[in-house]
Amino acid sequence: MDAGYPEPGEVGIRIPPHLKQDRFRDGFRHGLRGGQLDKAIYMRLSFREGYRAAKIYLRQLRRSRGILDFPARWRVRIRNA
């Protein structure tokens, strides 16, 4: 069962007619779940546009709830000489 993620139409995102609807929705869901673009199938135009729309939607949703930025994650490597 899905975790209750909205579809693009439910949040007011219109899918452009030149894109494939099913791939756009898959990319949108993938972006909402926090997935990365790490497979070749994810590089297709419709999938990438859906992924991008999800990231923009999430950014707007966070700002509307007062979350401006998440703290940066830093990695520090220390060598002992």
Side-chain angles (χ1 to χ4, degrees), residues 4-80:
Y5 295 111
E7 289 293 318
E10 294 174 9
V11 295
I13 297 173
R14 189 178 57 83
I15 301 173
H18 70 280
L19 298 177
K20 296 184 179 180
Q21 307 266 327
D22 55 340
R23 277 203 189 129
F24 187 93
R25 284 191 200 99
D26 290 344
F28 189 79
R29 267 186 244 115
H30 189 70
L32 289 181
R33 289 183 181 135
Q36 301 294 315
L37 297 176
D38 56 357
K39 295 183 182 174
I41 191 77
Y42 297 163
M43 294 299 143
R44 307 251 172 139
L45 177 65
S46 299
F47 192 94
R48 282 184 295 138
E49 290 296 319
Y51 182 86
R52 181 174 177 267
K55 294 301 181 180
I56 292 170
Y57 165 71
L58 286 174
R59 187 180 321 132
Q60 291 174 346
L61 182 66
R62 288 183 189 117
R63 284 186 181 160
S64 71
R65 294 181 178 178
I67 303 170
L68 299 179
D69 271 328
F70 287 110
R73 286 192 277 169
W74 296 88
R75 289 185 180 171
V76 178
R77 291 185 184 178
I78 300 174
R79 287 189 180 181
N80 216 357

